[in-house]
Amino acid sequence: MLQRQPINAVLSNGNTVFGRLLSVDATQITLKDTRNHTHRIPVSELYEIVYDDNRDIVPPSRHAGF
């Protein structure tokens, strides 16, 4: 679903890598950034992946009280 989509991979150390998602497996994700560099990021180093879904739908909050 997200393959070829532009994403921000936020790492556990606070760094962010922006690029298009090329592949995902159980151990790593692979991105290609805007300078055409490939980044292989271990899943163990990922904090979150941020992307636009372009559906104009705001999902309900997962946090109580909001």
Side-chain angles (χ1 to χ4, degrees), residues 19-40:
R20 293 201 178 269
L21 183 62
L22 298 179
S23 66
V24 177
D25 66 32
T27 61
Q28 70 181 11
I29 67 169
T30 304
L31 305 175
K32 186 165 281 200
D33 68 19
T34 56
R35 291 187 279 165
N36 216 28
H37 295 145
T38 301
H39 299 266
R40 288 176 179 79

Side-chain angles (χ1 to χ4, degrees), residues 2-49:
L2 292 179
Q3 210 157 8
R4 291 282 181 214
Q5 293 294 324
I7 66 168
N8 287 290
V10 182
L11 308 181
S12 299
N13 66 8
N15 290 338
T16 300
V17 179
F18 175 78
R20 293 201 178 269
L21 183 62
L22 298 179
S23 66
V24 177
D25 66 32
T27 61
Q28 70 181 11
I29 67 169
T30 304
L31 305 175
K32 186 165 281 200
D33 68 19
T34 56
R35 291 187 279 165
N36 216 28
H37 295 145
T38 301
H39 299 266
R40 288 176 179 79
I41 304 168
V43 171
S44 62
E45 293 181 17
L46 276 176
Y47 176 73
E48 67 180 341
I49 293 177

